Every structure is written in structure tokens, then in C-alpha cells.
Amino acid sequence: MDSHNDTPNDDNPTLSPDDSDAQAAAIDVPDDTGDGGRLRMIVQLVKRSFGVKDLAAMRLSLPASLLEPIPNLEYWHYLDRPDLFATINDHEDPLERMLAVLRFTFSKDLRHLHGKPCKPYNSVLGENFRMHWDVAPISYDPDDRVPIITNHINPPSKSQLEHDDSGGVKAGKASSKSGRVGPFGSLLSMKGWSSPNVERPLSTVVESNVSAQLSDLSLASTHTGESGSGSASASTSSPPTSMSTTAGTLRVAYLTEQISHHPPISAYVATCPTRHITLSGIDQISVRVLPSASLRVSSGAMNKGLFVTIDGGPGAGERYQITHPVAHVNGVLRGSFYATVQESTIVTCTGGPGVGDGEMLRAIVEYKEESWLGKPHFAVEGVVHRYNPSSHEHEEWTKVKHVPPARAEVYFEGCWRNVVRWRTAAAKAKAVNSKNDDADWTTLIDLTPLRVVPKKVRPLSKQHSTESRRLWESVTSRLFRKEYGEATRAKHVIEQRQRDEAAERKRRGIEFVPKYFEKDIQSGVPTVTQAGREALAEEVKYEDEDEGDAGGEYDSSAPAPAS
């Protein structure tokens, strides 16, 4: 999702740019990267942010040294496990497809489970980003249809199986069938994101960090002893397991563009043509500082959630709307961030074959409220139920207890950071009658061993000047050389260019028009332009030049092509 703005801009295709709260809260933070300066910066931000309706519209200028060296459009996406996205339409049974959507929902932000929240670069108006993945199709156990995931995983340790203090189900207690994992190596270390050695060549360092989504330059810590992203004196690690691009893999392509700067809004679309499935949506967030000094992050006005559309195969005609829950970023005053999730995600299926008698499926994912005392438990429970589209009674059902038992198909529970298990409503009723609540569970997803699947990006020499990596290369390369002052000056050059372009459009009476998406985003589902369809098709067909360069490494010496 798009985060705080660094610079003011009057271009906005959907909402009025007048925001008195944002104007009043403008802050210019000095380039002081020591511990004392970082603490003063955090205290200043918290003090000035109380009472501001929406920090996402706040004019905030941070020194480059306090930002993660990754563009916002590259960092914020929902395909940490594109293989689980591509597998949604593998099933003939509508209930199985809904369970596949839930697996995708729990895995889409996997990087936040193993890393800490961070602040990437803010996107400039018209900035865009493309990437793709080549993923192996997922197979299933023939008896219980549990997915067998063998790529980009870590075998779980004994301590991770018994996550009794994390809200999950103890392995020794539950009788659920375990998700299968293969014997392959890890992508990232279990304690957090792998931190590459900054002594290696710049192109390798940048690509390794960007693939992992988090770098060794973190707001959370400057000490190697803390978990998370590490510090500038990062340790080396084994390279991640690479997915081959041989025949039989599935290509998932992704395109996103910043369509508004004030407020910050971006549109995105992803597709897996061989599985007839598309993901699209609008990213906009609303952020407030709570009295506890934590941040409350919720969806902005134009953000209606994620939309998964199936245009062929077993689920032809279906569309799944996946709403966003409310997140809380805690540990702000300590500078050691961690996220918790509250309220509910609603997954609503419309269109397609349905489940009979004109009914469709809907799921409620209820994130349990955390206690103010003790460790967070990250507990979740939910239900898949039938609903009648011609009735509106289901719109009031936002918690599991709201759903009449006669409408329920499946119940699930567990820990959204570890294991989530499910069973049918009939099995639950049987277990209640027999007083054996641990019977007949099946693993929906085990997130413990899963790691982020690294993206593939075209080399800088083949990117346009408005593509994120090319646009921010002058900042990124200096950050990895620890030239913080130069990085901040390079960042200011980009920001000033955006101001100048906005002033010129205003002088000429010209309104900004996005290149890849239509301007109207009121529905929450972006419409891709002809240029966007061509860019996405190009990404689908792109042939990676070198398996060793699968991520599209930075090359600061390569000239930028014409836009």
C-alpha cells in the first residue's frame, strides 16, 4: 500500500487535494542518522501526528538514510507466494476454490511474518513497476487435497511446530493432517530476512535485498544483535533456491502505476494467463497515531480490497473480493516495529457456477483482538458460508458468531503467522457432540516454512525512465555505498522534478492522465488501458536473458531507454 507523501502535489484524479490536516502537519526531518537523532525524529513525528486525521496525506520529508532502499511500488504488492495465487483455479469444486483463495489470502503478505515493517521510497506521480515470476505448479495429496509445496521453503524446526505462545495449534495436540514441505533449501533465514554482505558488488547486493523485500538498512535496528533486518555489518548467507524457467512452470506477470500523489494512490494488476486468473485493485491507506503511540493502518476511500477474477477453466465467471483488515504497527517509540492485525477480512465470491439454489460462497476471516498485556498471539478464526446474492442479510455478518450454523460449510482456526487448520461444519458438530474438539482437522496452510518467492525484473538497461528501479537508482546505489548525504540530495532532485512537472501542468492547465490505468477508480477495480495491456503482455512473454540474473540486477552504468 502507498504510504506517506514526501512532497506536496496538486495532481489527484479522484479526490480533492485540499487537506488542512496534511498541510498543518508538514514536517522536515533533519538528516541525523545517529541513535539520538533517530529517537528525536520518532518523538517529533509522534507529537506532531496526534490529531491528524490521516498520516498518509501528510507532507513528510525524511532523509534517505532512514528509508529502506526499495521503491514503494516494488515493496507493496500481494504476491509473496505467486504459486498459491496461480493455483486458485485448479479445483473443480467451488468450496476447494474458496479454500485456495484463503490460502492465497494468508500468504500474500508473507514478508511481514518474517521481517519488520519498513518505510520504502514514496512513489512519484506516473511512476510504474513491472515484474514476473515463473512458478512450479502445486500438486495435492490425493487423499486430503492438502497442497504439497516444495519450492522456497524451510523445513520447520521442533520449536516452530510447537508455537503454543503464538496462538497456534500445538503439533502434539492437534490431529490435523500436516501440510507437506519438500527437502529444498531456504530462501530466507527463520529469524528474519537474509542480509547480504555489503562488501559484495553493488548489483548483487541491491538485487538480493530487493528480492527479499527488506534490506540490511533498517529503521528497526542498527545493532546486529537484534532480530529482523540486521544492520550495515550484516552477515552473509547462502543464496536462495532459484526456480527454473523450464517448461511446465507458470508465468505470473505484474504491473502497477502511481495514479495519484496527493493522496497517494496506485493501481495494480497481475495475471496468470495459463490459469485464466487475474488479480487487480487500488492501493490507498489511511494511517492514524493512537494514544498508545501505535499506528492504525486501514484502507483508504478508494481501496475496496483485492479482486481475483477467473475468466476460464473450472471457476469461469467468478470474482472474489478480498477486503483488507486493520493493521496496527507497534513498538514505534522503541524503534522496533512489529505488526498485529485486527477486525475481519471478508472474502465474497460473485458470478460463476455457484453452489446450487442460486447461492454463492463467502468467507469471514476474524482476527482476534490482542491483549494489552503479554505477548501477542496472532490468533484467527473463520467460517466459509453460503449466502444468497439477492438478500442483504449476510452483509451484517462480520464475525464467525454472526453466521447461522445452518449456512456454514467450513470452520477454520489457528495462528495467521503459523498454522491455520479447517474442518467441515458437519465435522465440527460431530466433534461437539463427542466432546472431542480436536477431531477431523485438516491443515489449510502452514506458513512456518514458507518463504517469499523472489521476483524477476528486467535489467535497468531495458527499463523506461519512469520505472521504479531506474527512477530511484541514484538513491539506491548511494545508500548501498553508505553515501547518505549524497542519497538524500539525489532524493531531493527527484522530488523537485516532480514539483516542477506539477507546476508546469498547472500553468498549462493540463491534468495528469495515468498511462497504464484509466482515471476512474470509483469501483475499486482498475481498468487497464491499451498501453497497460501491451506492457502486461510484454511481461508475460519476456524471456529472461540469464538464470543468474533472474532478478534483473541493478546496473548503474546502463543508460535509461527513452520513455
Side-chain angles (χ1 to χ4, degrees), residues 143-442:
D143 296 326
D144 54 25
R145 299 293 293 168
V146 172
I148 303 173
I149 303 174
T150 58
N151 289 280
H152 301 294
I153 56 95
N154 266 351
S157 65
K158 180 179 179 181
S159 61
Q160 289 157 353
L161 285 174
E162 298 184 0
H163 28 268
D164 52 328
D165 62 345
S166 311
V169 182
K170 287 188 178 181
K173 179 180 179 181
S175 60
S176 62
K177 303 179 182 70
S178 173
R180 277 70 169 173
V181 295
F184 298 92
S186 68
L187 170 63
L188 302 169
S189 64
M190 290 306 297
K191 67 179 181 179
W193 302 108
S194 296
S195 300
N197 192 327
V198 295
E199 299 297 325
R200 288 186 288 167
L202 175 63
S203 61
T204 304
V205 173
V206 173
E207 176 52 34
S208 297
N209 278 276
V210 171
S211 295
Q213 308 292 342
L214 287 177
S215 76
D216 56 312
L217 303 174
S218 176
L219 277 173
S221 172
T222 57
H223 304 288
T224 57
E226 295 185 16
S227 62
S229 300
S231 72
S233 58
S235 61
T236 59
S237 61
S238 300
T241 304
S242 297
M243 280 190 174
S244 70
T245 56
T246 57
T249 58
L250 307 174
R251 171 64 60 93
V252 177
Y254 180 87
L255 171 68
T256 182
E257 181 181 16
Q258 191 75 11
I259 60 176
S260 172
H261 184 72
H262 186 77
I265 301 175
S266 63
Y268 60 90
V269 61
T271 182
C272 181
T274 58
R275 288 297 189 265
H276 310 286
I277 187 168
T278 300
L279 171 70
S280 59
I282 300 297
D283 258 343
Q284 180 192 12
I285 63 173
S286 176
V287 184
R288 294 192 65 178
V289 176
L290 301 179
S292 61
S294 63
L295 301 179
R296 183 184 188 274
V297 184
S298 58
S299 299
M302 297 297 159
N303 187 340
K304 306 296 195 304
L306 294 79
F307 293 84
V308 175
T309 304
I310 302 175
D311 60 11
E318 290 180 343
R319 170 173 282 179
Y320 296 84
Q321 180 183 9
I322 308 168
T323 64
H324 294 287
V326 172
H328 285 250
V329 179
N330 307 280
V332 175
L333 292 180
R334 297 191 305 272
S336 181
F337 306 150
Y338 70 94
T340 56
V341 182
Q342 295 183 10
E343 301 188 15
S344 297
T345 286
I346 307 297
V347 183
T348 306
C349 179
T350 57
V355 292
D357 297 327
E359 292 186 315
M360 306 296 296
L361 291 178
R362 181 175 181 264
I364 300 173
V365 183
E366 183 181 346
Y367 296 92
K368 309 308 290 184
E369 188 171 351
E370 301 289 354
S371 171
W372 282 62
L373 300 175
K375 294 181 179 180
H377 294 286
F378 310 112
V380 65
E381 66 174 344
V383 60
V384 177
H385 66 85
R386 290 173 283 107
Y387 79 97
N388 191 327
S390 63
S391 172
H392 297 284
E393 61 175 345
H394 63 276
E395 296 175 1
E396 303 298 323
W397 302 344
T398 59
K399 295 181 179 295
V400 175
K401 65 182 181 181
H402 295 161
V403 179
R407 295 289 190 92
E409 292 286 327
V410 160
Y411 291 95
F412 54 92
E413 66 174 37
C415 171
W416 56 265
R417 295 176 64 94
N418 293 308
V419 178
V420 181
R421 59 181 188 169
W422 71 276
R423 64 183 174 187
T424 63
K428 179 182 179 180
K430 179 181 176 182
V432 170
N433 292 333
S434 64
K435 298 182 180 181
N436 181 15
D437 194 45
D438 287 322
D440 299 317
W441 287 103
T442 298

Side-chain angles (χ1 to χ4, degrees), residues 103-179:
R103 292 188 189 100
F104 162 68
T105 300
F106 283 117
S107 68
K108 64 184 175 61
D109 296 308
L110 193 63
R111 62 194 178 279
H112 298 311
L113 305 189
H114 305 294
K116 296 181 179 181
C118 74
K119 179 67 176 71
Y121 312 143
N122 290 323
S123 304
V124 301
L125 194 63
E127 179 183 340
N128 55 88
F129 182 70
R130 302 187 222 172
M131 58 184 167
H132 65 269
W133 300 262
D134 292 300
V135 297
I138 292 177
S139 59
Y140 300 86
D141 184 279
D143 296 326
D144 54 25
R145 299 293 293 168
V146 172
I148 303 173
I149 303 174
T150 58
N151 289 280
H152 301 294
I153 56 95
N154 266 351
S157 65
K158 180 179 179 181
S159 61
Q160 289 157 353
L161 285 174
E162 298 184 0
H163 28 268
D164 52 328
D165 62 345
S166 311
V169 182
K170 287 188 178 181
K173 179 180 179 181
S175 60
S176 62
K177 303 179 182 70
S178 173

Side-chain angles (χ1 to χ4, degrees), residues 445-465:
I445 188 169
D446 183 358
L447 297 162
T448 311
L450 300 186
R451 291 297 172 266
V452 175
V453 178
K455 67 181 74 70
K456 298 184 179 183
V457 183
R458 292 168 297 119
L460 288 189
S461 59
K462 295 190 176 182
Q463 295 181 22
H464 299 300
S465 59

